[in-house]
């Protein structure tokens, strides 16, 4: 696995930054974000259970540009894998 870095939240310090990558092996998006608060998690649970191997995370809207670039790269990679 090799992760392609697309960006950190520009408005947080270097130690606590939501971040986005793309796995160049399978085109998966990889996110680091803030753990969702209890209210957000409760609302998400209305759609179904959250397995122990998954988490609800929050990514700030100011990262949309990095996420779009990562999505474009993931889409290109996925097409190459087919």
């Amino acid at each position: 696995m090799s992760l392609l870095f697309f960006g950190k939240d520009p408005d947080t310090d270097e130690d606590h930054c939501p971040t986005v990558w793309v796995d160049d092996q399978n085109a998966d998006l990889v996110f680091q974000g803030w753990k969702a608060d209890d209210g957000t998690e409760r609302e998400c649970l209305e759609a179904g259970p959250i397995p122990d191997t998954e988490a609800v995370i929050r990514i700030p809207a100011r990262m949309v540009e990095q996420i779009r670039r990562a999505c474009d790269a993931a889409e290109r990679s996925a097409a190459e894998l087919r």
Side-chain angles (χ1 to χ4, degrees), residues 40-52 54-56:
T40 299
E41 193 164 300
R42 267 193 308 279
E43 194 167 331
C44 291
L45 284 167
E46 291 175 13
I50 302 167
D52 289 341
E54 298 179 12
V56 176

Side-chain angles (χ1 to χ4, degrees), residues 19-37:
T19 308
V20 61
W21 300 266
V22 172
D23 184 329
D24 70 354
Q25 302 269 309
N26 59 16
D28 283 352
L29 294 167
V30 178
F31 292 101
Q32 172 187 324
W34 299 303
K35 291 181 182 178
D37 59 82

Side-chain angles (χ1 to χ4, degrees), residues 7-13 16-20 31-35 57-68:
K8 288 186 176 194
D9 177 354
D11 289 351
T12 59
D13 64 52
H16 303 97
C17 295
T19 308
V20 61
F31 292 101
Q32 172 187 324
W34 299 303
K35 291 181 182 178
I57 61 167
R58 202 175 266 281
I59 302 291
R62 61 183 167 261
M63 290 189 67
V64 167
E65 180 183 339
Q66 290 111 328
I67 294 166
R68 277 194 185 117

